[in-house]
């Protein structure tokens, strides 16, 4: 490719870092008038393509139809309306109408000279006879190529592959300098695809100030750096824009420029996500002369993410974000900083290094030295050139820099932007993502109800793309402790070195009345209550009527589970760890961390927690129907119909599939079993218990454990043999669940003859011998369509294959189960099989057929030493995931954490 950039000699920028070496006492603030004026764009156009008249979007912005518009020469006919997908969450405006082009077409906007944001909105749906998979097209703006052979369909598909949340639409944001005035936007169907067409749902054009060329950043390449000047006429594409440590900001929260700022949580690598916090109420965050108001909303500077309170932990990890970018382009990476919590007021308090793609782009970063004081925003630009092909990961990482012996070993970030710079051919177009298997069809309720409004927002933004859409549902509870300070003081009180603990107030929730109380009681928690609900102990006591025994739902090694009532009538399940025991603390933290990041219809929702008085209390949605096991055997509950069972399995599979693939890094549940699948009021299956979850494939090294955890009978033999954790370990356990559901017997029943003890082995044996029917739950006799049974047994058998690589993925399992359900449904509809709704098998028979499941040993082994078993009685106990097995593992392997 042609190098189009121009190198210049350095660079005020390196000089800035020299300032640090001087390390002067905090300089007196320099009083230069700050630019607090709101930017008012000269041009601001919102064109709702394929529609006519005026419409309003979810942010209250007015859009004009392109039918008969002065910007759309000779477009007088109506556009086409999207046939709604399952996605009722896609905003009406501008997505539900589209303009389809089967030949080249140009919109002409008579805008003034200067830079413009151009935002293109795409919703790849069926438009009349036009299938989204056939749309391939180029988009140019004046002489710049924005998109080439673009497929919104493949892009959205790929986003779904990588993202935690379902994406339906995609938005692209560009910045083009229309120096001579006038902006032509041309759509051209791709010539390389027969029948290709182009489409567009919305076009937004907003004048913007020069945010790119005022400074000359350095380009870091091959271990050295040169200054890189962004030319005034270069087009840029926004790849990512994060409100780091904060929440999603919509167009109207960034007045003037109408940018959106995504939550960064999804892009953080591994479980090491640091801590997030808002500004100290006593600290005023205000723009300064060097940072005008349009740089970023104050909201971005008023929230931050830092590494955490433990210098030893911080020294051992990098706070890392991973974003996907197109190789072969230069990228401008902009970091926004602002110290917002006392006592971060002086130079050399918090000093860190910044890495991009393994290169050090900044040594000795010191926000106070740059900004000259607390509450003063500052931003830094660096340019990198990721070498590779196609789409690749770009790593952005922060690490404490002990070189200057700063007071704290920590790092901070408030905002992050990644812009792609056009190449020598004036093109920004990357390749389409490779085709991926289509995710299973989803219904609109795929995401749990409480998050739909955010989600639809999110869908509207899809922030930039390749990896894109961010936001966050999940970010309700950005819980980011590193390692909670142990009450016993195991990690605390490190007196050596200049660091030690940061003041608690830094992590406390300054908005919550309860947090002061919490801190005062000395729980010394670093779990922030600002986004996840923090309950006071008093509230918990009220909710459970003082832990009334009549409200007890279960008892286990970890503690008790109570039914409780909050907000005057909302039922919740309250899991209380044994106070002061210190046991299971790691699980406690992991569970909060995991659950708070994950929101899904088929995962149990964490509502909040209480860690006052060294309590470890978790508050969950109440699951009215308890565990799946409670409806299978050894129970007074009536049996579930086959369809119910299938639907429950599908729900659970969806939850697990989401854990495995919903985010960039696989989350492995590690303890899949029928007592960890809970059922709500409407029989919707929800996977619970993330106390044992691990982020894979690369485990966060601060939490690496060689201890094999899980429940015997469900444990992947390969994992057991090699201590190698993969998502296929969950698939194995899920296979056992499938057999359990089919046969209504425990995974392990030591009371049976030897060859029958392990359900997985026995079922596979029977399956091979063609006598599976003999062990199917008698209640289901004659009620399962033979084709469905065959399919179901096939999947279950594949799941429990010895060799993990031969097992299907959770996605495949899901597909097959859905297929099995269809087979059952069509058989029932054709009347060839009875749905079996009312038929009752007498309880006595059921109980007779089921042997005592109380023997459910848990197993603990370290990689080198012995295996031991715990004959724990778990029956009916570990609903809401008490997982005594996990707790016992902890006790037996105190070093395992
Ligand atoms: C746009 O381009 C013109 C001509 O190259 C230049 O003078 C102007 O500064 C540019 N504007 C911005 C905002 O970069
Ligand atoms: C942090 O990242 C840098 C650059 O990639 C790397 O050299 C360093 O080893 C990392 N440190 C840790 C503790 O992972």
């Amino acid at each position: 490719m042609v190098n189009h950039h121009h190198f210049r000699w350095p660079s005020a920028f390196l000089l800035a870092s020299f300032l640090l070496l001087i390390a002067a006492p905090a300089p007196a603030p320099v009083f230069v008038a700050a630019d607090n004026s709101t930017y008012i764009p000269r041009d601001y156009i919102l064109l709702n393509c394929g529609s006519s008249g005026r419409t309003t979007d979810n942010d209250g912005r007015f859009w004009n139809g392109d039918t008969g518009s002065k910007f759309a020469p000779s477009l007088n006919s109506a556009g086409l309306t999207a046939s709604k997908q399952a996605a009722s969450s896609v905003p009406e405006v501008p997505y539900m109408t589209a303009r389809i082009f089967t030949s080249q077409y140009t919109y002409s906007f008579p805008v003034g000279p200067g830079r413009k944001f151009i935002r293109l909105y795409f919703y790849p749906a069926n438009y009349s006879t036009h299938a989204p998979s056939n749309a391939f097209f180029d988009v140019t703006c004046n002489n710049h190529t924005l998109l080439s052979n673009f497929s919104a369909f493949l892009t959205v598909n790929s986003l779904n592959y990588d993202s935690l949340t379902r994406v339906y639409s995609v938005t692209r944001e560009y910045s083009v300098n229309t120096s001579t005035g006038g902006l032509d936007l041309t759509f051209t169907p791709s010539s390389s695809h027969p029948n290709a067409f182009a489409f567009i749902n919305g076009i937004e054009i907003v004048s913007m100030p020069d945010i790119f060329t005022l400074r000359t950043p350095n380009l870091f390449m091959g271990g050295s750096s040169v200054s890189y000047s962004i030319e005034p006429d270069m087009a840029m594409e926004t790849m990512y824009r994060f409100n780091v440590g904060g929440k999603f900001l919509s167009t109207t929260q960034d007045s003037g420029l109408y940018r959106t700022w995504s939550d960064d949580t999804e892009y953080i690598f591994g479980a090491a996500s640091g801590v997030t916090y808002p500004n100290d109420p006593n600290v005023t965050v205000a723009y300064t002369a060097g940072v005008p108001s349009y740089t970023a909303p104050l909201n971005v500077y008023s929230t931050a993410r830092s590494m955490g309170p433990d210098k030893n932990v911080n020294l051992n990890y990098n706070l890392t974000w991973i974003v996907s970018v197109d190789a072969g382009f230069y990228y401008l990476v902009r970091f926004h900083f602002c110290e917002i919590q006392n006592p971060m007021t002086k130079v050399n308090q918090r000093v860190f290094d910044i890495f991009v793609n393994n290169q050090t782009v900044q040594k000795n970063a010191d926000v106070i030295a740059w900004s000259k004081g607390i509450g003063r925003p500052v931003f830094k630009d660096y340019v990198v050139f990721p070498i590779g092909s196609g789409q690749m990961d770009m790593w952005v990482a922060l690490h404490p820099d002990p070189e200057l012996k700063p007071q704290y070993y920590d790092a901070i970030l408030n905002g992050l932007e990644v812009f792609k710079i056009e190449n020598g051919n004036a093109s920004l177009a990357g390749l389409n993502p490779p085709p991926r298997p289509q995710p299973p069809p989803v219904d609109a309720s795929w995401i749990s109800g409480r998050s739909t409004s955010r989600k639809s927002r999110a869908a509207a933004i899809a922030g930039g793309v390749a990896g894109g859409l961010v936001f966050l549902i999940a970010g309700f509870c950005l819980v980011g402790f590193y390692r909670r300070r142990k009450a016993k003081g195991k990690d605390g009180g490190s007196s050596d070195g200049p660091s030690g603990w940061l003041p608690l107030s830094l992590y406390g929730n300054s908005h919550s009345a309860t947090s002061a109380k919490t801190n005062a009681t000395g729980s010394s928690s670093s779990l922030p209550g600002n986004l996840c609900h923090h309950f006071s102990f008093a509230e918990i006591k009220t909710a459970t009527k003082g832990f009334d025994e009549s409200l007890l739902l279960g008892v286990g090694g970890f503690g008790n589970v109570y039914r409780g009532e909050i907000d005057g009538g909302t039922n919740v399940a309250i899991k209380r760890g044994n106070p002061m025991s210190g046991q299971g603390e790691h699980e406690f933290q992991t569970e909060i961390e995991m659950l708070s990041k994950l929101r899904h219809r088929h995962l149990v929702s964490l509502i909040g927690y209480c860690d006052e008085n060294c309590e470890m209390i978790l508050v969950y949605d109440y699951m009215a129907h308890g565990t799946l096991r409670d409806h299978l055997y050894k129970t007074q509950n009536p049996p579930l119909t086959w369809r119910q069972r299938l639907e429950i399995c599908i729900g659970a599979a969806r939850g697990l599939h989401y854990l495995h693939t919903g985010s960039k890094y696989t989350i492995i549940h590690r303890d899949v079993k029928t007592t960890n699948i809970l059922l709500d009021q409407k029989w919707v299956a929800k996977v619970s218990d993330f106390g044992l979850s691990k982020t894979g494939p690369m485990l966060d090294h601060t939490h690496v454990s060689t201890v094999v955890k899980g429940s015997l009978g469900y444990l992947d033999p390969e994992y057991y043999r090699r201590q190698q954790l993969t998502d296929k370990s969950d698939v194995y356990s899920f296979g056992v669940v499938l057999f359990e559901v089919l046969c209504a017997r425990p995974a392990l029943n030591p009371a049976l003859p030897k060859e029958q003890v392990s359900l997985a082995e026995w079922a596979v044996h029977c399956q091979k011998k063609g006598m599976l029917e003999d062990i199917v739950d008698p209640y289901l006799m004659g009620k399962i369509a033979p084709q469905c049974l065959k399919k179901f047994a096939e999947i279950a058998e594949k799941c429990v294959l010895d060799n993990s690589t031969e097992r299907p993925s959770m996605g495949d399992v899901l597909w097959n189960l859905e297929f099995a359900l269809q087979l059952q449904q069509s058989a029932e509809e054709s009347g060839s099989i009875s749905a079996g709704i009312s038929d009752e098998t007498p309880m006595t028979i059921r109980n007779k057929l089921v042997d005592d499941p109380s023997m459910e040993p848990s197993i603990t082994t370290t990689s080198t030493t012995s295996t031991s078993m715990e004959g724990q009685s778990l029956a009916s106990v570990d609903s809401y995931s008490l997982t005594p097995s996990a707790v016992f593992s902890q006790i037996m392997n105190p070093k395992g954490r």
Side-chain angles (χ1 to χ4, degrees):
M1 64 165 272
V2 186
N3 276 350
H4 61 292
H5 56 273
H6 309 264
F7 295 109
R8 280 192 201 151
W9 287 110
S11 123
F13 170 73
L14 273 183
L15 293 177
S17 50
F18 282 137
L19 268 181
L20 297 173
L21 298 171
I22 302 166
V30 187
F31 292 102
V32 183
D35 177 7
N36 286 313
S37 57
T38 305
Y39 176 79
I40 298 163
R42 176 193 182 276
D43 298 298
Y44 179 37
I45 297 165
L46 293 171
L47 200 63
N48 187 2
C49 303
S51 94
S52 55
R54 198 168 152 141
T55 44
T56 313
D57 70 14
N58 287 351
D59 287 347
R61 302 195 296 164
F62 295 113
W63 294 68
N64 286 309
D66 68 347
T67 310
S69 161
K70 61 181 170 183
F71 307 128
S74 67
L75 272 191
N76 296 315
S77 61
L80 295 175
T81 304
S83 74
K84 275 219 182 182
Q85 296 176 341
S88 57
S89 61
V90 174
E92 199 71 27
V93 179
Y95 290 107
M96 283 306 147
T97 57
R99 187 61 67 178
I100 307 280
F101 305 110
T102 49
S103 59
Q104 189 174 83
Y105 181 81
T106 301
Y107 289 96
S108 274
F109 302 93
V111 296
R115 276 201 179 269
K116 309 281 176 290
F117 273 129
I118 298 164
R119 300 190 180 107
L120 305 178
Y121 296 79
F122 301 101
Y123 175 37
N126 281 313
Y127 295 96
S128 171
T129 57
H130 301 278
S133 52
N134 287 334
F136 285 91
F137 53 97
D138 302 345
V139 181
T140 60
C141 174
N142 296 354
N143 53 342
H144 305 276
T145 302
L146 307 184
L147 291 165
S148 174
N149 195 31
F150 173 65
S151 167
F153 177 78
L154 290 176
T155 304
V156 162
N157 206 353
S158 164
L159 285 174
N160 280 320
Y161 202 78
D162 281 343
S163 157
L164 268 181
T165 20
R166 187 78 180 191
V167 176
Y168 298 95
S169 56
V170 60
T171 307
R172 299 281 183 136
E173 181 184 277
Y174 303 92
S175 168
V176 175
N177 185 348
T178 55
S179 48
T180 52
L183 189 159
D184 285 349
L185 207 55
T186 303
F187 293 81
T188 313
S190 189
S191 51
S192 50
H193 292 265
N195 307 322
F197 65 95
F199 78 96
I200 179 73
N201 300 85
I203 300 169
E204 174 177 357
I205 296 171
V206 188
S207 302
M208 61 184 285
D210 181 11
I211 62 168
F212 296 118
T213 70
L214 293 181
R215 303 184 182 187
T216 306
N218 271 13
L219 162 68
F220 293 81
M221 217 168 160
S224 61
S225 68
V226 282
S227 75
Y228 178 101
S229 70
I230 294 166
E231 298 301 318
D233 60 345
M234 283 179 178
M236 315 283 282
E237 177 178 352
T238 311
M239 303 297 286
Y240 300 93
R241 183 178 284 130
F242 298 142
N243 179 11
V244 176
K247 61 183 192 347
F248 167 76
L249 300 179
S250 71
T251 56
T252 46
Q253 288 169 290
D254 186 4
S255 61
L257 294 178
Y258 304 98
R259 293 167 295 199
T260 51
W261 296 76
S262 316
D263 185 300
D264 65 316
T265 317
E266 287 313 296
Y267 294 87
I268 293 190
F269 170 68
S273 53
V275 295
T276 63
Y277 47 90
N279 66 310
D280 200 315
N282 299 323
V283 172
T284 308
V285 179
Y287 296 113
T288 59
V291 183
S293 64
Y294 51 72
T295 311
L298 281 182
N299 216 318
V300 170
Y301 291 112
S302 309
T303 54
R305 185 183 296 278
S306 66
M307 297 187 74
D310 187 329
K311 75 160 192 174
N312 295 316
V313 171
N314 295 354
L315 280 172
N316 277 312
Y317 89 103
N318 283 342
L319 182 53
T320 305
W321 291 260
I322 298 183
V323 295
S324 168
V325 296
D326 298 309
F329 288 89
Y330 289 85
Y331 290 88
L332 173 67
V333 187
R334 173 167 294 178
F335 294 75
H336 296 272
F337 300 105
C338 187
E339 288 289 1
I340 50 176
Q341 289 271 6
N342 279 308
M344 292 296 179
T345 54
K346 295 202 267 305
V347 169
N348 208 29
Q349 282 188 312
R350 168 151 50 194
V351 181
F352 53 97
D353 296 339
I354 304 174
F355 308 103
V356 180
N357 277 346
N358 283 338
Q359 301 188 75
T360 310
V361 300
Q362 181 71 58
K363 293 253 336 138
N364 297 330
D366 185 331
V367 175
I368 293 289
W370 286 332
S371 69
K372 313 264 187 298
I374 193 168
R376 298 165 62 91
V378 64
F379 69 92
K380 292 284 166 187
D381 288 347
Y382 310 91
V383 174
V384 293
F385 183 85
I387 297 166
S389 63
Q391 291 182 354
M392 57 184 294
D393 285 344
M394 182 158 101
W395 296 61
V396 172
L398 307 180
H399 188 74
D401 187 339
E403 192 176 73
L404 302 175
K405 301 242 178 317
Q407 190 176 355
Y408 304 106
Y409 289 1
D410 197 2
I412 181 177
L413 187 61
N414 305 62
L416 183 69
E417 290 177 283
V418 179
F419 301 101
K420 186 199 267 181
I421 304 172
E422 72 174 12
N423 65 19
N425 301 324
S427 173
L428 284 162
L431 298 173
N432 280 320
R436 310 266 210 186
Q438 272 264 70
V442 291
D443 50 81
S445 55
W446 193 78
I447 295 284
S448 63
R450 67 175 68 185
S451 48
T452 46
S453 63
R454 274 197 180 222
K455 182 175 155 41
S456 56
R457 242 335 144 46
I461 298 129
V465 223
L469 176 125
V470 188
F471 67 80
L472 240 275
I473 291 184
F476 276 106
C477 305
L478 302 180
V479 175
F481 63 84
Y482 226 76
R483 192 185 283 175
R484 216 175 77 155
R485 190 177 181 180
K486 303 283 186 299
K488 305 176 194 109
K490 182 173 157 236
D491 290 352
S494 47
S495 53
D496 54 326
S499 175
W501 293 94
L502 289 176
L504 284 170
S505 61
L506 196 54
Y507 304 97
N509 170 12
S510 44
H511 302 312
S512 151
T514 57
S515 73
K517 237 189 297 170
T518 309
N519 288 336
T521 59
S523 77
S524 63
S525 165
S526 59
L527 293 170
N530 41 332
L531 292 162
C532 185
H533 193 83
H534 185 281
F535 289 92
S536 71
F537 189 60
E539 285 172 297
I540 298 285
K541 260 166 75 177
T542 311
T544 55
K545 303 201 171 104
F547 302 101
D548 193 303
E549 294 220 336
S550 66
L551 296 173
L552 209 56
L553 293 168
V555 184
F558 181 95
N560 297 343
V561 182
Y562 300 86
R563 176 173 175 167
E565 238 183 59
I566 56 167
D567 300 341
T570 308
N571 276 322
V572 291
I574 297 181
K575 170 170 147 186
R576 183 190 193 191
N578 289 329
M580 308 302 291
S581 69
Q583 293 166 17
E585 189 183 23
H586 181 69
E587 275 71 20
F588 179 70
Q589 295 169 354
T590 310
E591 186 144 2
I592 296 183
E593 193 179 27
M594 287 289 172
L595 278 178
S596 58
K597 282 188 186 174
L598 301 170
R599 298 268 152 184
H600 188 270
R601 178 171 156 82
H602 295 290
L603 299 181
V604 167
S605 294
L606 181 69
I607 295 171
Y609 69 95
C610 168
D611 60 350
E612 218 174 296
N613 302 329
C614 299
E615 291 276 355
M616 293 187 286
I617 295 174
L618 297 173
V619 181
Y620 299 91
D621 273 346
Y622 177 67
M623 295 291 125
H625 286 300
T627 73
L628 170 57
R629 182 175 303 174
D630 276 348
H631 299 274
L632 291 176
Y633 47 85
K634 199 137 196 257
T635 173
Q636 298 301 309
N637 292 320
L640 300 169
T641 66
W642 180 237
R643 258 174 69 171
Q644 272 178 312
R645 296 187 205 196
L646 278 174
E647 273 156 13
I648 288 166
C649 291
I650 288 170
R654 243 182 222 164
L656 288 171
H657 176 57
Y658 171 81
L659 285 179
H660 289 177
T661 61
S663 66
K664 190 156 204 162
Y665 296 91
T666 307
I667 294 164
I668 301 165
H669 185 290
R670 300 217 295 176
D671 202 14
V672 175
K673 53 185 177 182
T674 45
T675 45
N676 279 338
I677 296 169
L678 305 183
L679 302 167
D680 77 0
Q681 187 75 42
K682 295 179 178 152
W683 298 97
V684 174
K686 311 218 179 205
V687 177
S688 80
D689 192 348
F690 300 87
L692 294 179
S693 300
K694 279 283 180 188
T695 315
M698 296 168 75
L699 304 179
D700 155 24
H701 52 248
T702 60
H703 293 313
V704 161
S705 161
T706 54
V707 181
V708 173
K709 291 173 179 172
S711 302
L712 210 62
Y714 294 93
L715 203 57
D716 169 10
E718 196 174 85
Y719 169 39
Y720 177 75
R721 277 197 303 272
R722 302 203 206 157
Q723 278 94 45
Q724 246 174 28
L725 187 64
T726 69
D727 51 352
K728 296 295 180 68
S729 309
D730 285 350
V731 172
Y732 181 94
S733 309
F734 191 71
V736 179
V737 166
L738 293 180
F739 280 129
E740 212 176 324
V741 164
L742 181 67
C743 306
R745 62 151 273 194
L748 211 62
N749 187 348
L752 288 173
K754 196 160 145 263
E755 70 277 9
Q756 300 184 23
V757 170
S758 156
L759 171 59
E761 280 172 29
W762 179 236
V764 169
H765 173 82
C766 294
Q767 162 92 333
K768 290 214 166 90
K769 287 257 176 329
M771 42 183 261
L772 187 68
E773 267 102 344
D774 297 355
I775 62 166
V776 168
D777 182 357
Y779 166 78
L780 296 172
M781 278 304 159
K783 295 184 188 131
I784 309 181
Q787 290 308 315
C788 175
L789 177 61
K790 184 161 171 285
K791 188 90 217 154
F792 187 88
E794 237 171 61
I795 315 157
E797 190 185 355
K798 285 204 181 109
C799 287
V800 299
L801 282 174
D802 214 44
N803 181 347
S804 64
T805 56
E806 290 171 14
R807 292 175 208 150
S809 70
M810 235 22 250
D812 296 335
V813 175
L814 179 55
W815 269 111
N816 281 290
L817 286 175
E818 282 175 338
F819 187 50
L821 177 63
Q822 279 170 20
L823 292 172
Q824 180 71 14
Q825 276 167 341
S826 51
E828 283 174 16
E829 273 151 29
S830 72
S832 63
I833 203 94
S834 97
I837 289 154
S838 58
D839 189 4
E840 288 285 339
T841 304
M843 245 351 116
T844 46
I845 298 182
R846 285 178 59 73
N847 284 339
K848 192 163 132 279
L849 288 162
V850 171
D851 298 281
D852 184 5
S854 65
M855 287 293 288
E856 189 200 305
S858 68
I859 185 165
T860 300
T861 153
T862 65
S863 48
T864 50
T865 55
S866 63
T867 300
S868 52
M869 293 212 192
E870 292 292 323
Q872 275 299 299
S873 170
L874 299 195
S876 81
V877 167
D878 53 358
S879 38
Y880 302 105
S881 56
L882 291 171
T883 321
S885 55
V887 176
F888 278 91
S889 311
Q890 291 295 314
I891 296 168
M892 293 166 63
N893 296 280
K895 295 194 194 93
R897 36 176 102 170

